[in-house]
Amino acid sequence: MTIFSAITGCASDDQGFTENGSNSQSQSQTQTVTVRRGKVIPLISATSEVRVSSDFTVSASRPGMFHGSVTDGQLVQTGDKLGTIDDTTVTAPVDGVVTSVARDNSVSANYPLVGIQYGGLSTVVDASVLLRSIGTDTEITGRFQVMDGQGPTNCAAVVGSDAVNTTDTSGISGPTEGTRNLQCLFPKNTAAFPGQSATTALMGVAVDDALLLPISSVSGRLESGKVSVVKNGKSKVVAVKLGVSDGSHIQILKGLNEGDIVSAVAPGLADDVNENQ
């Protein structure tokens, strides 16, 4: 998907490009990557502790008039009808016990409708970045691998959670401002115990024919960023609009065209490294 090449620096022009050349051979060559089209699956992964699943809420996917079809304490199975929003049926993502039901009312999108207690284990992942890039109304699926145990295995469902992360890839404990935690519910036949470690990957819907660059070549991650465009051995920092990422590549929504060549190192990173040496 990526192409690496060496480009020798030459004189600057009047288009905002600066000379890459120097007396050092290592500095006179710029490693580059090319903007290519391809398929990307929005993805985040984290390592966290296996725990008893926390109660979750099925929320409204759209505004409308809600009418509940279940009662507190009722046992529901996967796919059972929980109620309706106008002509749209609200269903249970997994089996469980109903813990709360909203009153019949005109509701907004994302309004909590039915609480469910799932009788199984789960992991909790901070999905804030993923949700900001794909939106809250996009289907999310997941897989998990229990450390020294079962997997990889599909999550029974990916649902919301107010639980606190004990460990994640950022090393931060607990939710912070703006955090959106999601639970990967384990199938009930999973051989796991609370307290074990597991790696969980959450995925959105694949984006086909996306303009892509390696993440290492882009500064910034959420919506906007910068790259160093290389042309005839000269470089120019260009602002870009960013889309989804799979952790390796990131979608470019605006600012570049297919075939454009950019530095393999994000703008400012090489300078910061050199200054610290």
Side-chain angles (χ1 to χ4, degrees):
M1 180 172 293
T2 59
I3 296 178
F4 294 89
S5 62
I7 297 180
T8 304
C10 57
S12 61
D13 60 13
D14 295 329
Q15 304 301 315
F17 288 86
T18 58
E19 185 179 354
N20 282 332
S22 72
N23 293 329
S24 168
Q25 182 178 359
S26 63
Q27 292 179 339
S28 64
Q29 293 183 335
T30 302
Q31 193 177 42
T32 63
V33 292
T34 303
V35 180
R36 297 297 188 193
R37 290 192 178 273
K39 178 179 179 179
V40 60
I41 300 176
L43 180 147
I44 58 168
S45 63
T47 299
S48 55
E49 184 179 278
V50 177
R51 65 181 70 211
V52 174
S53 61
S54 60
D55 295 358
F56 66 91
T57 302
V58 177
S59 298
S61 61
R62 45 161 288 188
M65 186 67 192
F66 172 69
H67 174 71
S69 302
V70 292
T71 58
D72 288 4
Q74 182 175 335
L75 179 65
V76 294
Q77 302 296 324
T78 304
D80 279 358
K81 181 179 178 180
L82 302 176
T84 57
I85 299 178
D86 295 334
D87 296 329
T88 302
T89 301
V90 180
T91 60
V94 290
D95 65 275
V97 176
V98 175
T99 58
S100 64
V101 183
R103 294 181 178 179
D104 290 3
N105 196 2
S106 176
V107 300
S108 65
N110 300 314
Y111 187 84
L113 301 177
V114 180
I116 295 178
Q117 181 184 57
Y118 178 69
L121 304 177
S122 72
T123 51
V124 177
V125 176
D126 179 358
S128 306
V129 173
L130 178 65
L131 292 173
R132 280 197 290 267
S133 65
I134 68 174
T136 57
D137 57 349
T138 302
E139 180 185 5
I140 297 177
T141 58
R143 292 173 66 80
F144 65 92
Q145 169 73 60
V146 178
M147 204 73 67
D148 299 322
Q150 182 174 336
T153 305
N154 292 333
C155 304
V158 176
V159 298
S161 173
D162 293 328
V164 176
N165 286 354
T166 55
T167 308
D168 63 14
T169 52
S170 67
I172 300 174
S173 296
T176 57
E177 185 177 356
T179 294
R180 289 290 305 277
N181 287 336
L182 294 179
Q183 286 188 99
C184 165
L185 300 180
F186 290 9
K188 292 184 178 178
N189 61 355
T190 300
F193 300 92
Q196 286 184 285
S197 293
T199 299
T200 306
L202 302 182
M203 296 152 282
V205 177
V207 178
D208 295 316
D209 198 32
L211 288 177
L212 300 174
L213 276 176
I215 278 183
S216 58
S217 64
V218 182
S219 64
R221 290 292 180 270
L222 295 176
E223 297 183 356
S224 63
K226 294 180 180 180
V227 299
S228 294
V229 176
V230 177
K231 184 178 181 181
N232 297 326
K234 294 159 284 183
S235 64
K236 177 182 179 181
V237 175
V238 173
V240 292
K241 184 177 181 181
L242 304 176
V244 300
S245 171
D246 62 2
S248 175
H249 291 80
I250 193 164
Q251 181 186 20
I252 306 298
L253 296 175
K254 186 177 181 181
L256 294 173
N257 296 310
E258 183 179 7
D260 284 348
I261 298 173
V262 306
S263 170
V265 181
L269 183 58
D271 292 341
D272 293 341
V273 171
N274 292 332
E275 290 174 0
N276 291 330
Q277 288 181 345

